[in-house]
Amino acid sequence: YRMFVPRRCAQGPYKDEPWVCGLADFSFPTMVTPVFFTEAEVDSIQLQLHAGLTCDPKNSTYTAEAEYCVEWGRNMTEHLQKVADVAMQRPHMAGLFSPACRMHTTFSKAGPFIDGLTYAQAFEAFLSQTGNGSKAVVHRDNCCSGHTIQYQSTCPKPERALFW
């Protein structure tokens, strides 16, 4: 496997363990190129492949999964806060679109929506910034601040992981 990692990360603070630069928590702080993150708060494929869970409140297994699923969403929200913080300080350097959905890659013009925008409209707003005085492009939900997951109503049906 020949993973690409950002040079500034791999030759900088993590030169002794460059593999960690494949993870956004490590590489994002070293980036000088603007970046826009589109990430669901509950990634259905990651959960299926790594934990064997669906995090679907309609499934009979959800009661046993619920605590893990809520913690997953909280963890994702916490890590994406790093992106939101950079976006608020330097709007031209980072942007975020993170819906309270159980999905992986089905972002489209049909949804999900946050603040009335799709991911493409939020991304367009990020790309249209003119520098100083720009407003941060941060659109996010909060699926997991309570004891159960609250998915928003414009989420598409989650994809199924393909096992091969």
Side-chain angles (χ1 to χ4, degrees):
Y1 180 64
R2 293 184 169 181
M3 175 176 57
F4 169 81
V5 296
R7 184 178 303 137
R8 184 178 297 275
C9 180
Q11 293 177 354
Y14 301 105
K15 63 182 174 211
D16 294 332
E17 48 186 354
W19 63 269
V20 302
C21 296
L23 303 170
D25 270 355
F26 297 92
S27 60
F28 178 61
T30 69
M31 298 184 79
V32 295
T33 302
V35 62
F36 186 85
F37 285 81
T38 301
E39 178 67 47
E41 290 181 345
V42 179
D43 190 308
S44 60
I45 299 299
Q46 288 182 36
L47 281 161
Q48 287 176 46
L49 294 178
H50 300 297
L53 304 176
T54 65
C55 294
D56 184 349
K58 295 176 186 169
N59 283 354
S60 61
T61 59
Y62 182 70
T63 302
E65 299 175 353
E67 185 177 342
Y68 185 91
C69 297
V70 170
E71 191 56 37
W72 176 284
R74 286 182 187 147
N75 186 46
M76 181 62 74
T77 300
E78 177 185 319
H79 287 270
L80 290 174
Q81 184 60 45
K82 297 170 187 177
V83 177
D85 290 345
V86 170
M88 296 306 207
Q89 295 165 10
R90 298 183 328 225
H92 63 286
M93 290 303 295
L96 175 64
F97 185 87
S98 182
C101 293
R102 185 174 55 94
M103 60 185 285
H104 184 66
T105 59
T106 50
F107 296 89
S108 75
K109 64 182 179 182
F113 293 88
I114 305 174
D115 303 324
L117 301 175
T118 65
Y119 85 98
Q121 292 166 320
F123 186 47
E124 179 182 22
F126 177 72
L127 292 175
S128 299
Q129 295 182 86
T130 57
N132 292 342
S134 295
K135 184 180 176 199
V137 178
V138 175
H139 298 279
R140 63 194 304 196
D141 289 326
N142 187 347
C143 69
C144 303
S145 60
H147 297 293
T148 61
I149 290 181
Q150 298 296 316
Y151 297 119
Q152 59 125 304
S153 62
T154 66
C155 298
K157 287 179 72 173
E159 308 93 331
R160 289 195 163 170
L162 298 175
F163 297 96
W164 59 94

